[in-house]
Amino acid sequence: MLVTSLSSLKGGVGKTTVTLGLASAAFAQGLRTLVVDMDPQSDASTGMDVTIGRHLNISHLLANPRASQVRNAIVPSGWSRTYKGKVDVLLGSPAAMAFDEPTLTKKQIWRVEEILAAVENDYDIVLIDCPPSLNGLTRMAWTASDRVAIVTEPSLFSVAATQRAFRAIDELRRGVSPRLRPLGVVVNRVRPQSIEHQYRIDELKQMFGPLVMEPELPERVALQQAQGAASPLHVWPGESAEEMALNFNMILERIFLTVQVSKPESAQPAR
Ligand SMILES: Nc1ncnc2c1ncn2[C@@H]1O[C@H](COP(=O)(O)OP(=O)(O)O)[C@@H](O)[C@H]1O
Ligand SMILES: [Mg+2]
């Protein structure tokens, strides 16, 4: 089971969008996919067509990660109505905020790892949508992850913020979780005609070299439309949805390559 966190220090840069795009790519390829919504805003849960209500959610599991409770808390995404396959969600909740402490005990920091251990054999890929901070929730998510992708827009502050995030990943790797590595920087909402954006992307590449992931993700209304309809991107009609679906397939491919985990034989070729 390959576990990847999607993080950024800022809100609104596209963490949830990238989480949903990759989940859609994985689901379309027949991978058993779990999205863990660690963000108290719970946008990923909404985007995956699950009603946040009386269900058990991540906050219950952070308080008590008993294996039977973990299984009860995971719900199928409404996406599974579009085609056959397994795509599930561990719901987010505003109550998770109570766990977003600046410091964690040794026991607390392994909580998400403990939760995921209960479903280790049930999924091929787990995508964790993190809140926009480096506090407890993000650190618990990272400790349970093989890789962390930092999502950023091509803006004035992206280099500094990305550098801070990489430093935090490195600290956690050295202190707590030796398997943790940065996957790279996903540059999102790029306007290819914008000179400012090109300048910022060049700056990121100078700083982080091959860690800046290809392809960069352009700004496309189709993404917002698919999200608004709580639909997986890979079934959304139109050329720009198709273009974005291909982009997410490529990023997913790169995740499997860098972690050197082969996909299960049942996986279908990317559409
Ligand atoms: N590449 C993109 N093209 C168009 N809209 C985007 C793109 N990426 C994100 N958005 C939109 O920007 C808003 C913020 O993105 P979101 O993924 O929710 O950010 P975060 O999870 O980092 O807060 C959402 O309305 C989303 O639909
Ligand atoms: Mg979000």
Side-chain angles (χ1 to χ4, degrees):
M1 188 172 81
L2 194 165
V3 184
T4 296
S5 280
L6 290 306
S7 284
S8 73
L9 301 191
K10 258 175 57 167
V13 297
K15 287 176 297 301
T16 301
T17 299
V18 174
T19 305
L20 295 175
L22 290 173
S24 175
F27 176 49
Q29 290 177 33
L31 298 174
R32 298 169 304 160
T33 306
L34 174 66
V35 168
V36 178
D37 192 353
M38 289 291 282
D39 189 346
Q41 298 216 35
S42 314
D43 295 336
S45 305
T46 312
M48 295 190 71
D49 197 7
V50 183
T51 314
I52 307 157
R54 284 160 293 154
H55 273 298
L56 289 175
N57 59 55
I58 187 76
S59 72
H60 300 108
L61 300 186
L62 292 172
N64 174 5
R66 200 159 25 100
S68 58
Q69 181 157 264
V70 174
R71 285 172 195 282
N72 280 335
I74 291 174
V75 292
S77 157
W79 291 5
S80 48
R81 287 193 294 270
T82 53
Y83 35 74
K84 226 171 46 193
K86 177 161 162 144
V87 58
D88 293 343
V89 187
L90 208 175
L91 290 178
S93 160
M97 205 107 77
F99 298 86
D100 207 22
E101 309 273 354
T103 53
L104 295 174
T105 64
K106 271 238 151 63
K107 195 167 157 204
Q108 283 170 327
I109 203 156
W110 288 104
R111 259 300 137 86
V112 174
E113 170 84 13
E114 225 179 317
I115 292 168
L116 293 180
V119 292
E120 171 77 44
N121 297 316
D122 299 354
Y123 298 97
D124 302 307
I125 183 161
V126 179
L127 298 158
I128 310 181
D129 190 15
C130 292
S133 76
L134 295 181
N135 286 336
L137 290 171
T138 295
R139 292 155 62 82
M140 285 189 271
W142 287 5
T143 306
S145 297
D146 301 291
R147 292 290 183 277
V148 179
I150 302 299
V151 183
T152 186
E153 289 179 350
S155 77
L156 175 60
F157 304 114
S158 40
V159 165
T162 304
Q163 208 162 23
R164 247 192 312 148
F166 279 160
R167 214 175 297 135
I169 293 168
D170 201 45
E171 267 166 36
L172 202 66
R173 179 173 65 80
R174 280 185 281 123
V176 182
S177 180
R179 83 175 201 270
L180 179 65
R181 295 277 184 288
L183 174 71
V185 192
V186 178
V187 189
N188 182 39
R189 292 199 93 145
V190 175
R191 288 192 296 275
Q193 312 300 334
S194 159
I195 293 169
E196 164 71 9
H197 279 191
Q198 276 319 314
Y199 179 83
R200 296 299 167 196
I201 293 169
D202 288 345
E203 202 174 47
L204 281 164
K205 285 183 176 161
Q206 273 167 28
M207 227 22 232
F208 305 110
L211 276 174
V212 179
M213 294 184 72
E214 304 276 352
E216 292 136 17
L217 299 174
E219 187 157 65
R220 292 285 179 270
V221 177
L223 275 180
Q224 295 166 10
Q225 291 167 336
Q227 279 167 19
S231 160
L233 179 67
H234 286 61
V235 300
W236 198 254
E239 258 172 48
S240 78
E242 214 168 286
E243 172 205 4
M244 289 310 284
L246 287 175
N247 285 335
F248 285 114
N249 291 348
M250 284 190 260
I251 295 179
L252 183 69
E253 220 43 53
R254 168 120 179 224
I255 297 177
F256 274 95
L257 277 176
T258 59
V259 187
Q260 294 183 319
V261 173
S262 35
K263 287 187 198 158
E265 277 171 17
S266 56
Q268 285 132 36
R271 281 174 240 202

